[in-house]
């Protein structure tokens, strides 16, 4: 079957949530230019951004590294309407116009209602977001209208029934989430097929966890396949590619080396063989046996935290403690001497809960921060006593 959007070249998209940074919130333009060049030179052309990615720096980098440097017909650009930036219908158009200006374009190829779940959908619907997006579609300011989605299949079904005009659904889909009872990726994907909606894939590496937090036994399973051209990242990226209706798989590369690795997996795409798939399921089971916090480092929580707590970084510390028990001391040093050196400790949390309502993975952030306090701060106090 052909592609629903033939203008999208290849099966891989350029995600811009995890661009390389010089320091917090400052994108490394030189590295990003290299990544953009490599990606386009390899025949791919779909770019994805959002107003809230990297605190606004992602859209700006898209202009500097992509739209200022390449003609409009060299790339396809998707953007999103994010919840934190509007409170009523009247807010949406000025926001949209500012997004066009920041990105340096006069239309978006795709415009998605960002991170829809049961609660957010009600806000978007009641505040006229869907209606405004459909008007923008009529006016040609967006070429295609869709949603990105983080909830269970029944919520998606309601949205698709209410708005049959939706042309594409971006879903979280990877071998870890595939049969997960909380993400329901398989069910959500199957629903997209039932409603004949093309699918964009996000989080194929689950925020890098399927590379950075694979246990040694899982890596050994991949090694047993004996293919030096493949890696944990390439196996994970190839997993969604075999599913019908998948138009693009967004990779969140953070360096030219990572994007080159991803290109090697996706340029002449081959679906996983039966043997590779069997290994992937074994790896999934080994990964799940670890008790990891399922944070994808999207940083949506941090954007709304009044205490500016580096939540995903603190969770990465807790995950490192779980994965690398012999390195506990170095994680503790990192927590105190790098991460929270200038404040913003886990114990600064005031329990307002804003982070939790913004977390697409539904993580109990406040409780997890209490674990971090116990693990890193109270133990430290004990040592001082
Ligand atoms: S509950 Fe704590 S971590 Fe979450 S937004 Fe409020 S202060 Fe920040
Ligand atoms: S805690 Fe949730 S919102 Fe925050 S970075 Fe992790 S997955 Fe994203």
């Amino acid at each position: 079957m052909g592609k629903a959007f033939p203008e999208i070249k290849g099966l891989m998209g350029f995600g811009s949530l995890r661009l390389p940074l010089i320091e917090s919130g400052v994108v490394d333009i030189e590295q990003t230019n290299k990544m953009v060049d490599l990606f386009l030179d390899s025949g791919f052309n779909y770019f994805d951004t959002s107003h809230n990615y990297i605190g606004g720096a992602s859209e700006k980098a898209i202009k500097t590294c992509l739209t200022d440097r390449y003609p409009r017909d060299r790339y396809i650009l998707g953007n999103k309407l994010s919840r934190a930036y509007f409170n009523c219908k009247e807010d949406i158009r000025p926001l949209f116009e500012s997004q066009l200006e920041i990105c340096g374009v006069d239309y978006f190829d795709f415009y998605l209602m960002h991170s829809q779940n049961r609660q957010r959908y009600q806000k978007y619907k009641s505040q006229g977001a869907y209606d405004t997006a459909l008007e923008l579609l009529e006016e040609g300011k967006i070429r295609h209208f869709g949603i990105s989605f983080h909830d269970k299949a029944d919520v998606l079904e309601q949205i698709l029934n209410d708005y049959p005009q939706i042309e594409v659904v971006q879903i979280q889909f990877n071998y870890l989430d595939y049969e997960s009872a909380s993400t329901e990726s398989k069910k959500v994907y199957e629903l997209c097929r039932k409603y004949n909606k093309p699918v964009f894939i996000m989080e194929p590496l689950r925020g890098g966890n399927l590379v950075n937090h694979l246990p040694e036994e899982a890596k050994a399973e991949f090694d047993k396949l004996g293919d030096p051209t493949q890696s944990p990242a390439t196996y994970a990226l190839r997993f969604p590619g075999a599913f019908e209706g998948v138009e693009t798989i967004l990779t969140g590369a953070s360096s030219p080396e990572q994007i080159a690795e991803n290109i090697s997996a996706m340029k002449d795409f081959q679906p996983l063989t039966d043997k590779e798939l069997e290994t992937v399921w074994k790896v999934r089971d080994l990964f799940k046996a670890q008790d990891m916090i399922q944070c994808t480092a999207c940083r949506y929580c941090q954007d709304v935290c009044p205490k500016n707590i580096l939540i995903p970084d603190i969770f990465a510390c807790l995950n490192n403690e779980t994965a690398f028990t012999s390195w506990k001391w170095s994680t503790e040093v990192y927590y105190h001497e790098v991460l929270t050196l200038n404040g913003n400790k886990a114990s600064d949390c005031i329990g307002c809960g804003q982070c939790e309502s913004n977390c697409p993975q539904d993580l109990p952030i406040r409780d997890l921060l209490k674990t971090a306090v116990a693990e890193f701060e109270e133990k430290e106090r004990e040592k001082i006593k």
Side-chain angles (χ1 to χ4, degrees), residues 36-76:
V36 167
D37 296 346
L38 269 171
F39 183 76
L40 286 170
D41 290 347
S42 303
F44 301 102
N45 68 348
Y46 184 71
F47 290 81
D48 168 87
T49 186
S50 177
H51 202 54
N52 64 337
Y53 287 176
I54 325 180
S58 169
E59 282 183 338
K60 290 179 189 154
I62 285 290
K63 179 171 190 304
T64 309
C65 303
L66 176 68
T67 69
D68 281 354
R69 296 171 66 237
Y70 285 95
R72 188 67 181 89
D73 60 1
R74 273 300 301 278
Y75 57 86
I76 301 292

Side-chain angles (χ1 to χ4, degrees), residues 305-307 309 311 349-355 366 369:
C305 175
K307 305 302 282 185
I309 295 170
I311 300 164
C349 172
I350 52 170
C352 65
Q354 293 191 61
C355 51
R366 287 172 286 189
L369 287 176

Side-chain angles (χ1 to χ4, degrees), residues 199-240:
V199 173
F200 290 179
I201 300 292
M202 59 182 155
E203 303 292 6
L205 306 182
R206 224 185 186 288
N209 284 308
L210 297 180
V211 176
N212 301 328
H213 288 123
L214 276 190
E216 288 305 318
E217 316 90 276
K219 285 185 202 153
E221 288 296 334
F222 280 139
D223 288 345
K224 275 191 219 161
L225 289 168
D227 184 345
T229 68
Q230 298 297 311
S231 67
T234 62
Y235 289 120
L237 274 177
R238 285 168 58 211
F239 173 75

Side-chain angles (χ1 to χ4, degrees), residues 2-167:
K3 281 190 142 205
F5 304 113
E7 65 270 38
I8 297 178
K9 306 291 180 210
L11 200 50
M12 182 166 78
F14 188 109
S16 60
L17 174 60
R18 299 182 181 91
L19 294 175
L21 303 179
I22 292 171
E23 58 185 73
S24 179
V26 182
V27 173
D28 186 329
I29 296 300
E30 200 185 322
Q31 294 290 297
T32 306
N33 279 342
K34 280 188 194 160
M35 291 166 67
V36 167
D37 296 346
L38 269 171
F39 183 76
L40 286 170
D41 290 347
S42 303
F44 301 102
N45 68 348
Y46 184 71
F47 290 81
D48 168 87
T49 186
S50 177
H51 202 54
N52 64 337
Y53 287 176
I54 325 180
S58 169
E59 282 183 338
K60 290 179 189 154
I62 285 290
K63 179 171 190 304
T64 309
C65 303
L66 176 68
T67 69
D68 281 354
R69 296 171 66 237
Y70 285 95
R72 188 67 181 89
D73 60 1
R74 273 300 301 278
Y75 57 86
I76 301 292
L77 182 58
N79 206 333
K80 311 189 189 75
L81 176 64
S82 303
R83 183 181 84 123
Y85 304 99
F86 69 97
N87 285 310
C88 60
K89 191 167 195 269
E90 290 65 40
D91 291 342
I92 296 172
R93 272 183 183 264
L95 168 63
F96 176 82
E97 295 295 340
S98 78
Q99 288 182 279
L100 287 178
E101 195 182 332
I102 296 166
C103 292
V105 292
D106 51 17
Y107 67 92
F108 290 121
D109 298 276
F110 290 82
Y111 199 59
L112 312 182
M113 304 293 98
H114 198 176
S115 199
Q116 297 296 279
N117 62 17
R118 191 181 304 275
Q119 190 194 13
R120 258 171 236 152
Y121 172 57
Q122 291 311 327
K123 167 182 166 150
Y124 276 65
K125 193 176 165 183
S126 65
Q127 296 185 344
Y130 281 71
D131 295 341
T132 307
L134 288 168
E135 289 163 21
L136 294 167
L137 185 67
E138 278 283 318
E139 294 161 24
K141 292 187 167 177
I142 62 177
R143 298 281 158 92
H144 299 288
F145 161 62
I147 61 172
S148 74
F149 183 76
H150 285 282
D151 208 330
K152 296 191 187 290
D154 65 313
V155 179
L156 179 59
E157 186 146 36
Q158 185 195 339
I159 301 175
L160 294 180
N161 278 323
D162 289 352
Y163 289 99
Q165 304 95 325
I166 289 169
E167 295 170 83

